Amino acid sequence: MKDKKFNVQLGIGAPSIFMIFVIMVMCTIAILAYMDSASYYDSSLQQINSVKEYYNAQSEGLEIYHYIKKEYNGNNLNLLLKKRNLKYQLKNDVLIYQYDMNDKQCVIFNVNMKDFTYSYKQIAKED
C-alpha cells in the first residue's frame, strides 16, 4: 500500500480561538492582580489608622501625665482632673485613666502618685 500523508491545515478559526483564549486568561490574571492590590491597599489603610489612633491616645494620655506631674502639689488632684474632664480612679496611690482609640480599643494609663512613674497599655474594650 501506498503511504498516505495527511496534511493538516490550520484555517482562520483555530488561531483566532487560541488568541481569544489567551486574551481571556490575561484579563483574568489582571483582574485578580487588581483585586489583590486593592485588598492590600485597604489593609494598609486600616493599619495606618490603627497606629494613628494609638499614638493619638498615647499622646493625649502622656499630656495629662505631664500636666499632673507639673501642677500636682499633694492635695489638688481632683481639681486638676476636673479641669480636664477626665474620668479616673485612684487606688493605692495609683491614678488610673483611659483614652479611647476607637469603639473597640483604648489605652489605659497608670500613674504612681508617689514617685510619678507611669505605664500604659492598649486593651480591647468590653462590650
Coordinates of all heavy atoms in Angstrom, one line a residue, residues 46-99:
Q46 N -6.2 50.5 57.0 CA -6.6 50.1 58.3 C -5.5 50.1 59.3 O -5.7 50.6 60.4 CB -7.3 48.8 58.3 CG -8.7 48.8 57.6 CD -9.2 47.4 57.4 OE1 -8.6 46.4 57.7 NE2 -10.5 47.3 57.0
Q47 N -4.4 49.6 58.9 CA -3.2 49.6 59.8 C -2.7 51.0 60.1 O -2.4 51.3 61.3 CB -2.1 48.7 59.2 CG -0.9 48.5 60.1 CD 0.1 47.6 59.5 OE1 0.1 47.2 58.4 NE2 1.1 47.3 60.3
I48 N -2.7 51.8 59.1 CA -2.3 53.2 59.3 C -3.2 53.9 60.3 O -2.7 54.6 61.2 CB -2.2 54.0 58.0 CG1 -1.0 53.5 57.1 CG2 -2.1 55.5 58.2 CD1 -1.0 54.0 55.7
N49 N -4.5 53.7 60.1 CA -5.5 54.4 61.0 C -5.3 53.8 62.4 O -5.4 54.6 63.4 CB -6.9 54.2 60.5 CG -7.2 55.0 59.3 OD1 -6.5 56.1 59.1 ND2 -8.1 54.6 58.4
S50 N -5.1 52.5 62.6 CA -5.0 51.9 63.9 C -3.7 52.5 64.6 O -3.8 52.8 65.8 CB -4.9 50.4 63.8 OG -4.7 49.8 65.0
V51 N -2.6 52.6 63.9 CA -1.4 53.1 64.5 C -1.6 54.6 64.9 O -1.2 55.1 65.9 CB -0.2 52.9 63.6 CG1 1.0 53.7 64.0 CG2 0.1 51.5 63.5
K52 N -2.3 55.4 64.0 CA -2.5 56.8 64.2 C -3.4 57.0 65.5 O -3.1 57.8 66.3 CB -3.2 57.4 63.0 CG -3.3 58.9 63.1 CD -4.1 59.6 62.0 CE -3.8 59.1 60.7 NZ -4.6 59.8 59.6
E53 N -4.4 56.2 65.6 CA -5.3 56.2 66.8 C -4.6 55.9 68.1 O -4.7 56.5 69.1 CB -6.5 55.3 66.6 CG -7.5 55.7 65.6 CD -8.5 54.7 65.2 OE1 -8.3 53.5 65.6 OE2 -9.5 55.0 64.5
Y54 N -3.7 54.9 68.0 CA -2.9 54.5 69.2 C -2.0 55.6 69.6 O -2.0 56.0 70.8 CB -2.1 53.3 68.9 CG -1.1 52.9 70.0 CD1 -1.6 52.3 71.1 CD2 0.2 53.2 69.8 CE1 -0.7 52.0 72.2 CE2 1.1 52.8 70.9 CZ 0.6 52.3 72.0 OH 1.5 52.0 73.0
Y55 N -1.3 56.2 68.7 CA -0.3 57.3 69.0 C -1.1 58.6 69.5 O -0.6 59.3 70.3 CB 0.6 57.6 67.9 CG 1.7 56.6 67.8 CD1 1.9 55.8 66.7 CD2 2.6 56.4 68.9 CE1 2.9 54.8 66.6 CE2 3.6 55.4 68.9 CZ 3.7 54.6 67.7 OH 4.7 53.7 67.7
N56 N -2.3 58.8 68.9 CA -3.0 60.0 69.4 C -3.5 59.8 70.8 O -3.4 60.7 71.7 CB -4.2 60.2 68.5 CG -3.9 60.9 67.2 OD1 -2.8 61.5 67.1 ND2 -4.7 60.7 66.2
A57 N -4.0 58.6 71.1 CA -4.4 58.3 72.5 C -3.2 58.3 73.5 O -3.3 58.8 74.6 CB -5.1 56.9 72.6
Q58 N -2.1 57.8 73.0 CA -0.9 57.8 73.9 C -0.4 59.2 74.1 O -0.1 59.6 75.2 CB 0.2 57.0 73.2 CG 1.5 57.0 73.9 CD 2.6 56.3 73.1 OE1 2.5 56.0 72.0 NE2 3.7 56.1 73.8
S59 N -0.5 60.0 73.1 CA 0.0 61.4 73.2 C -0.9 62.2 74.2 O -0.5 62.9 75.1 CB -0.1 62.1 71.9 OG 0.2 63.4 72.0
E60 N -2.3 62.0 74.1 CA -3.2 62.7 75.0 C -3.0 62.2 76.4 O -3.0 63.0 77.3 CB -4.6 62.4 74.5 CG -5.0 63.1 73.2 CD -6.4 62.8 72.7 OE1 -7.2 62.2 73.5 OE2 -6.7 63.0 71.6
G61 N -2.8 60.9 76.6 CA -2.6 60.4 77.9 C -1.3 60.9 78.6 O -1.2 61.3 79.8
L62 N -0.2 61.0 77.8 CA 1.1 61.5 78.3 C 1.0 63.0 78.5 O 1.7 63.5 79.4 CB 2.2 61.1 77.3 CG 2.5 59.7 77.3 CD1 3.6 59.4 76.2 CD2 3.0 59.2 78.6
E63 N 0.2 63.7 77.8 CA 0.0 65.1 78.0 C -0.6 65.3 79.4 O -0.2 66.2 80.2 CB -0.9 65.7 76.9 CG -1.1 67.2 77.1 CD -2.0 67.8 76.0 OE1 -1.9 67.3 74.8 OE2 -2.9 68.6 76.3
I64 N -1.6 64.5 79.7 CA -2.3 64.6 81.1 C -1.2 64.2 82.1 O -1.2 64.9 83.2 CB -3.5 63.6 81.2 CG1 -4.6 64.1 80.2 CG2 -4.0 63.4 82.6 CD1 -5.2 65.4 80.7
Y65 N -0.4 63.2 81.9 CA 0.6 62.8 82.8 C 1.6 64.0 83.1 O 1.8 64.3 84.3 CB 1.4 61.6 82.3 CG 2.7 61.4 83.1 CD1 2.7 60.8 84.3 CD2 3.9 61.7 82.5 CE1 3.9 60.6 85.0 CE2 5.1 61.5 83.2 CZ 5.1 61.0 84.4 OH 6.2 60.8 85.1
H66 N 2.0 64.6 82.1 CA 3.0 65.7 82.3 C 2.3 66.9 83.0 O 2.9 67.6 83.8 CB 3.6 66.1 81.0 CG 4.6 65.1 80.5 ND1 5.8 64.9 81.1 CD2 4.6 64.3 79.5 CE1 6.5 63.9 80.5 NE2 5.7 63.5 79.5
Y67 N 1.0 67.1 82.7 CA 0.2 68.2 83.3 C 0.1 67.9 84.8 O 0.3 68.8 85.6 CB -1.1 68.3 82.6 CG -2.1 69.2 83.3 CD1 -2.0 70.6 83.3 CD2 -3.2 68.6 84.1 CE1 -2.9 71.4 83.9 CE2 -4.1 69.5 84.7 CZ -3.9 70.8 84.6 OH -4.8 71.6 85.3
I68 N -0.2 66.7 85.1 CA -0.4 66.3 86.6 C 1.0 66.4 87.3 O 1.1 67.0 88.4 CB -0.9 64.9 86.7 CG1 -2.4 64.8 86.2 CG2 -0.8 64.4 88.2 CD1 -2.9 63.4 86.1
K69 N 2.0 65.9 86.7 CA 3.4 66.0 87.3 C 3.8 67.4 87.5 O 4.4 67.7 88.6 CB 4.4 65.3 86.4 CG 5.7 65.1 87.0 CD 6.6 64.3 86.0 CE 8.0 64.2 86.6 NZ 8.9 63.4 85.7
K70 N 3.5 68.3 86.6 CA 3.9 69.7 86.8 C 3.0 70.4 87.8 O 3.5 71.2 88.6 CB 3.8 70.4 85.4 CG 4.1 71.8 85.4 CD 4.0 72.5 84.1 CE 4.2 74.0 84.1 NZ 4.0 74.6 82.8
E71 N 1.7 70.2 87.8 CA 0.8 71.0 88.6 C 0.4 70.4 90.0 O -0.1 71.1 90.8 CB -0.5 71.3 87.9 CG -0.3 72.0 86.5 CD 0.1 73.4 86.7 OE1 -0.3 74.0 87.7 OE2 0.8 73.9 85.8
Y72 N 0.7 69.1 90.2 CA 0.3 68.4 91.4 C 1.1 68.9 92.6 O 2.3 68.9 92.5 CB 0.4 66.9 91.2 CG -0.1 66.1 92.4 CD1 -1.4 66.1 92.8 CD2 0.8 65.3 93.1 CE1 -1.8 65.4 93.9 CE2 0.4 64.5 94.2 CZ -0.9 64.6 94.6 OH -1.3 63.8 95.6
N73 N 0.4 69.2 93.7 CA 1.2 69.7 94.9 C 0.8 68.8 96.1 O 1.1 69.2 97.2 CB 1.0 71.2 95.1 CG -0.5 71.5 95.4 OD1 -1.3 70.6 95.7 ND2 -0.8 72.7 95.4
G74 N 0.2 67.7 95.9 CA -0.1 66.8 97.0 C -1.5 66.7 97.4 O -2.0 65.8 98.0
N75 N -2.3 67.8 97.1 CA -3.7 67.7 97.5 C -4.7 68.3 96.5 O -5.9 68.4 96.8 CB -3.9 68.4 98.9 CG -3.5 69.9 98.8 OD1 -3.1 70.4 97.7 ND2 -3.6 70.6 99.9
N76 N -4.3 68.6 95.3 CA -5.2 69.2 94.3 C -5.5 68.3 93.1 O -5.8 68.8 92.1 CB -4.6 70.6 93.8 CG -3.3 70.4 93.1 OD1 -2.6 69.3 93.2 ND2 -2.8 71.4 92.4
L77 N -5.4 67.0 93.3 CA -5.5 66.1 92.2 C -7.0 66.1 91.6 O -7.1 66.2 90.4 CB -5.2 64.7 92.6 CG -5.3 63.6 91.6 CD1 -4.3 63.9 90.5 CD2 -5.0 62.2 92.1
N78 N -8.0 66.2 92.5 CA -9.4 66.2 92.0 C -9.6 67.5 91.2 O -10.2 67.4 90.1 CB -10.4 66.2 93.1 CG -10.4 64.8 93.8 OD1 -10.2 63.8 93.1 ND2 -10.7 64.7 95.0
L79 N -9.1 68.6 91.6 CA -9.3 69.9 90.9 C -8.6 69.8 89.6 O -9.1 70.3 88.6 CB -8.7 71.0 91.8 CG -8.9 72.4 91.2 CD1 -10.3 72.8 91.0 CD2 -8.2 73.4 92.1
L80 N -7.4 69.3 89.5 CA -6.6 69.2 88.3 C -7.4 68.3 87.2 O -7.4 68.7 86.1 CB -5.2 68.6 88.5 CG -4.2 69.5 89.3 CD1 -3.0 68.7 89.5 CD2 -3.9 70.7 88.5
L81 N -7.9 67.2 87.7 CA -8.5 66.3 86.8 C -9.9 66.8 86.3 O -10.4 66.5 85.2 CB -8.6 64.9 87.4 CG -7.2 64.3 87.6 CD1 -7.3 62.9 88.3 CD2 -6.4 64.1 86.3
K82 N -10.6 67.5 87.2 CA -11.9 68.1 86.8 C -11.7 69.1 85.7 O -12.6 69.3 84.9 CB -12.6 68.7 88.0 CG -13.2 67.6 88.9 CD -14.0 68.3 90.1 CE -14.5 67.2 91.0 NZ -15.2 67.8 92.2
K83 N -10.6 69.9 85.8 CA -10.3 70.9 84.7 C -10.2 70.2 83.4 O -10.5 70.8 82.3 CB -9.1 71.6 85.0 CG -9.2 72.6 86.2 CD -7.9 73.4 86.4 CE -7.9 74.3 87.5 NZ -6.6 75.0 87.7
R84 N -9.8 69.0 83.3 CA -9.6 68.3 82.1 C -10.7 67.3 81.7 O -10.7 66.6 80.7 CB -8.3 67.4 82.2 CG -7.0 68.2 82.3 CD -6.7 68.8 80.9 NE -5.4 69.5 81.0 CZ -4.5 69.3 80.1 NH1 -4.7 68.5 79.1 NH2 -3.4 70.0 80.2
N85 N -11.8 67.4 82.5 CA -13.0 66.5 82.3 C -12.5 65.0 82.1 O -12.9 64.4 81.1 CB -13.8 66.9 81.1 CG -14.5 68.3 81.3 OD1 -14.8 68.6 82.4 ND2 -14.6 69.1 80.3
L86 N -11.7 64.6 83.0 CA -11.2 63.2 82.9 C -11.8 62.3 83.9 O -11.9 62.6 85.1 CB -9.6 63.3 83.2 CG -8.8 62.0 82.9 CD1 -8.9 61.7 81.4 CD2 -7.4 62.2 83.4
K87 N -12.2 61.1 83.5 CA -12.7 60.1 84.4 C -11.5 59.3 84.8 O -10.7 58.9 84.0 CB -13.8 59.2 83.7 CG -15.0 60.0 83.3 CD -16.0 59.1 82.6 CE -17.2 59.8 82.2 NZ -18.1 59.0 81.4
Y88 N -11.5 59.0 86.1 CA -10.3 58.4 86.6 C -10.7 57.6 87.9 O -11.7 57.7 88.4 CB -9.2 59.4 87.0 CG -9.6 60.3 88.1 CD1 -9.2 60.0 89.4 CD2 -10.3 61.5 87.9 CE1 -9.6 60.8 90.5 CE2 -10.7 62.3 88.9 CZ -10.3 62.0 90.2 OH -10.7 62.8 91.2
Q89 N -9.7 56.7 88.3 CA -9.8 56.0 89.5 C -8.5 56.2 90.3 O -7.4 56.2 89.6 CB -10.0 54.5 89.3 CG -11.4 54.2 88.7 CD -11.5 52.7 88.5 OE1 -10.5 51.9 88.6 NE2 -12.7 52.2 88.3
L90 N -8.5 56.3 91.6 CA -7.3 56.4 92.4 C -7.3 55.2 93.4 O -8.2 55.1 94.2 CB -7.3 57.7 93.1 CG -6.0 58.0 93.9 CD1 -4.9 58.1 92.9 CD2 -6.2 59.4 94.6
K91 N -6.4 54.3 93.2 CA -6.3 53.1 94.0 C -4.9 52.9 94.5 O -4.0 52.8 93.7 CB -6.7 51.8 93.2 CG -8.1 51.7 92.8 CD -8.4 50.4 92.0 CE -9.8 50.3 91.6 NZ -10.0 49.1 90.8
N92 N -4.8 52.9 95.8 CA -3.4 52.7 96.4 C -2.4 53.7 95.9 O -1.3 53.2 95.5 CB -3.0 51.3 96.3 CG -3.9 50.3 97.0 OD1 -4.6 50.6 98.0 ND2 -4.0 49.1 96.4
D93 N -2.7 54.9 95.8 CA -1.8 56.0 95.2 C -1.4 55.7 93.8 O -0.4 56.2 93.3 CB -0.5 56.1 96.1 CG -0.8 56.7 97.4 OD1 -1.8 57.5 97.5 OD2 -0.1 56.4 98.4
V94 N -2.3 55.0 93.1 CA -2.1 54.8 91.6 C -3.3 55.4 90.9 O -4.4 55.0 91.1 CB -1.9 53.3 91.2 CG1 -1.8 53.2 89.7 CG2 -0.7 52.8 91.9
L95 N -3.0 56.4 90.1 CA -4.1 57.0 89.3 C -4.2 56.2 88.0 O -3.3 56.0 87.3 CB -3.6 58.5 89.0 CG -4.6 59.3 88.1 CD1 -5.9 59.5 88.7 CD2 -3.9 60.6 87.7
I96 N -5.5 55.9 87.7 CA -5.8 55.1 86.5 C -6.8 55.9 85.7 O -7.8 56.3 86.1 CB -6.4 53.7 86.9 CG1 -5.5 52.9 87.8 CG2 -6.7 52.9 85.6 CD1 -6.1 51.8 88.5
Y97 N -6.4 56.1 84.4 CA -7.3 56.8 83.5 C -7.1 56.2 82.1 O -6.1 55.5 81.9 CB -7.1 58.3 83.5 CG -5.8 58.8 83.2 CD1 -5.5 59.2 81.9 CD2 -4.8 58.9 84.1 CE1 -4.2 59.7 81.6 CE2 -3.5 59.3 83.8 CZ -3.2 59.7 82.5 OH -2.0 60.2 82.2
Q98 N -8.1 56.4 81.2 CA -8.0 55.8 79.9 C -8.4 56.8 78.8 O -9.1 57.7 79.1 CB -8.9 54.6 79.8 CG -10.4 54.9 79.6 CD -11.2 53.6 79.4 OE1 -10.8 52.6 80.0 NE2 -12.2 53.6 78.6
Y99 N -7.8 56.6 77.6 CA -8.2 57.3 76.4 C -8.7 56.3 75.4 O -8.0 55.3 75.2 CB -7.1 58.1 75.9 CG -7.0 59.5 76.5 CD1 -6.2 59.8 77.6 CD2 -7.8 60.5 76.0 CE1 -6.2 61.0 78.2 CE2 -7.8 61.8 76.6 CZ -7.0 62.0 77.7 OH -7.0 63.2 78.2

